[in-house]
Amino acid sequence: QRDRVGSDFDALLAADQRIEPRDAMPEKYRETLIRQIAQHAHSEIIGMQPEGNWITRAPSLRRKAILIAKVQDEAGHGLYLYSAAETLGIDRQELLERLHDGKQKYSSIFNYPTLTWADCGAIGWLVDGAAIMNQVPLCRCSYGPYARAMIRVCKEESFHQRQGFEILWNLMRGTEAQQAMAQDAADRWWWPALMMFGPPDTGEAAKGGHTEQSMAWGIKRFSNDDLRQKFVDMMVPQAEKLGIVLPDPDLRWNEERGHYDFGPIDWDEFWRVLRGDGACNAERISHRRRAHDEGAWVREAANAYAGKHAARSAE
Ligand code: ACO
């Protein structure tokens, strides 16, 4: 890799080549990637909880099997991403400590509760839909290990989105109560899904943001608002197909812009959730800490096993 265009960071970026772990890179680039990849990994493993909540109550064996596979995929994505972060010279243990101590974030979206079965549909359709919109461009991220991890993750996310759409599709063709349940879930998840893309590109909230620098480094390929707009444009026709009314009276096609206009987002709610005041923040972290502590014996056993193997191959 390095022989192609030399190890100079700027030259690699200018040639749209990938930066690999052993290439020289500015310290801030490394820190930004650790922050983003860790936040992404944390989101995947915390993201197992809202849907994990429904595994024992999935309405059929088929739904249960799909849900278990999906939650397991999320665990896999988390591990993949922790490995990508480790190529930047940080230890997974340390990243988990930062998550448990509240020093690193995970996505705002996972602090909302899953009240009914339809929430599993809304998460698949809206949350995973937003995740794909954000992650497909990350397949072209300048950092090689992150970009490559994203390719597989996006394939699995597409399946997740389709299964969410299918849950809602079936509910919308069910009884009136089922339709109401699907509509209620979409009402509750729509705005938080729009917030997933992060604060707006302009105004007070944009100050201190990372977008400009991350785009210059080829980490982000689109701004938060651009991805949010693409997401709205993709979802409106899907909502129409489902027969779901998106909870925004300002949502309408703008012929001039060639995009859907949409209403204002409650950024106070977003920052509140980030500060820890969302409906489920405390529950998510305490559950995560408990799972980590209760899993200590698995890590010890795996380390003992690896040690035994290493000793044997050294003989
Ligand atoms: N939830 C929590 N924090 C957020 C969110 C969000 N949805 N969006 C932005 N933030 C935080 C940023 O981490 C940053 O905080 P920090 O400076 O303390 O680290 C601050 O808000 C300002 O935001 P930006 O300047 O826009 O930050 P950034 O350039 O990192 O962009 C984004 C945010 C778009 C989420 C980016 O980090 C990204 O693409 N991450 C990878 C995708 C990801 O993490 N997905 C997780 C959810 S999807 C899933 O797990 C199914």
Side-chain angles (χ1 to χ4, degrees):
Q1 293 263 339
R2 293 209 269 172
D3 294 342
R4 273 179 312 179
V5 274
S7 64
D8 178 64
F9 178 78
D10 293 324
L12 283 168
L13 283 189
D16 206 17
Q17 299 277 329
R18 299 285 162 268
I19 308 294
E20 296 298 336
R22 278 169 300 171
D23 289 324
M25 60 184 88
E27 188 51 26
K28 286 269 178 241
Y29 175 84
R30 201 179 72 86
E31 281 169 13
T32 297
L33 278 167
I34 290 177
R35 179 185 60 78
Q36 179 167 327
I37 300 173
Q39 177 173 319
H40 195 165
H42 300 330
S43 304
E44 297 284 357
I45 57 165
I46 295 280
M48 295 166 72
Q49 293 184 37
E51 288 163 296
N53 179 32
W54 278 91
I55 288 176
T56 55
R57 294 174 288 164
S60 69
L61 186 59
R62 174 175 172 267
R63 291 290 178 200
K64 195 195 281 275
I66 294 171
L67 194 58
I68 290 172
K70 179 179 191 269
V71 172
Q72 202 168 26
D73 282 352
E74 282 153 10
H77 296 174
L79 298 184
Y80 231 52
L81 286 160
Y82 284 124
S83 299
E86 283 188 313
T87 64
L88 291 155
I90 188 147
D91 197 60
R92 182 184 307 181
Q93 181 62 34
E94 195 180 333
L95 294 176
L96 285 172
E97 274 162 23
R98 289 187 193 176
L99 168 67
H100 298 163
D101 296 346
K103 290 187 187 134
Q104 276 179 340
K105 299 183 169 76
Y106 57 90
S107 181
S108 50
I109 194 75
F110 299 120
N111 293 307
Y112 292 84
T114 38
L115 305 178
T116 70
W117 167 250
D119 288 13
C120 289
I123 291 182
W125 179 48
L126 294 172
V127 175
D128 296 323
I132 294 170
M133 192 51 85
N134 164 268
Q135 288 169 31
V136 166
L138 291 174
C139 297
R140 293 189 293 115
C141 161
S142 59
Y143 188 58
Y146 191 28
R148 288 189 289 274
M150 279 300 110
I151 293 170
R152 171 153 182 190
V153 167
C154 283
K155 284 187 184 154
E156 293 181 351
E157 292 291 358
S158 312
F159 157 71
H160 295 173
Q161 205 230 356
R162 291 303 295 265
Q163 68 85 40
F165 184 91
E166 200 228 357
I167 290 175
L168 295 178
W169 178 267
N170 285 349
L171 289 175
M172 289 306 287
R173 268 135 207 87
T175 63
E176 258 176 46
Q178 286 171 321
Q179 290 171 18
M181 199 202 290
Q183 179 63 55
D184 167 64
D187 288 347
R188 283 182 289 106
W189 289 92
W190 173 250
W191 291 106
L194 293 190
M195 293 175 198
M196 281 175 73
F197 295 93
D201 300 343
T202 51
E204 204 50 38
K207 286 187 192 146
H210 307 283
T211 300
E212 203 180 323
Q213 180 60 74
S214 287
M215 285 183 76
W217 276 331
I219 296 174
K220 284 169 102 163
R221 297 288 180 175
F222 295 94
S223 75
N224 299 356
D225 282 339
D226 284 351
L227 288 176
R228 194 169 6 251
Q229 180 70 63
K230 277 167 171 280
F231 176 69
V232 172
D233 292 348
M234 177 177 84
M235 297 318 269
V236 174
Q238 292 188 14
E240 282 165 4
K241 277 249 156 28
L242 283 169
I244 280 177
V245 181
L246 293 172
D248 180 356
D250 297 326
L251 194 63
R252 64 180 58 87
W253 179 252
N254 182 327
E255 193 65 49
E256 225 166 277
R257 292 199 313 121
H259 292 291
Y260 283 93
D261 288 337
F262 54 97
I265 293 173
D266 182 354
W267 290 112
D268 286 343
E269 175 179 322
F270 173 77
W271 295 114
R272 234 182 4 255
V273 171
L274 254 61
R275 279 198 306 271
D277 278 344
C280 301
N281 296 59
E283 184 187 326
R284 298 290 185 242
I285 285 294
S286 73
H287 183 85
R288 170 93 269 287
R289 284 210 194 102
R290 194 168 60 245
H292 187 74
D293 292 345
E294 288 174 1
W297 68 273
V298 179
R299 292 189 295 279
E300 279 163 24
N303 280 337
Y305 182 76
K308 213 157 69 180
H309 264 265
R312 253 191 229 146
S313 54
E315 274 168 15

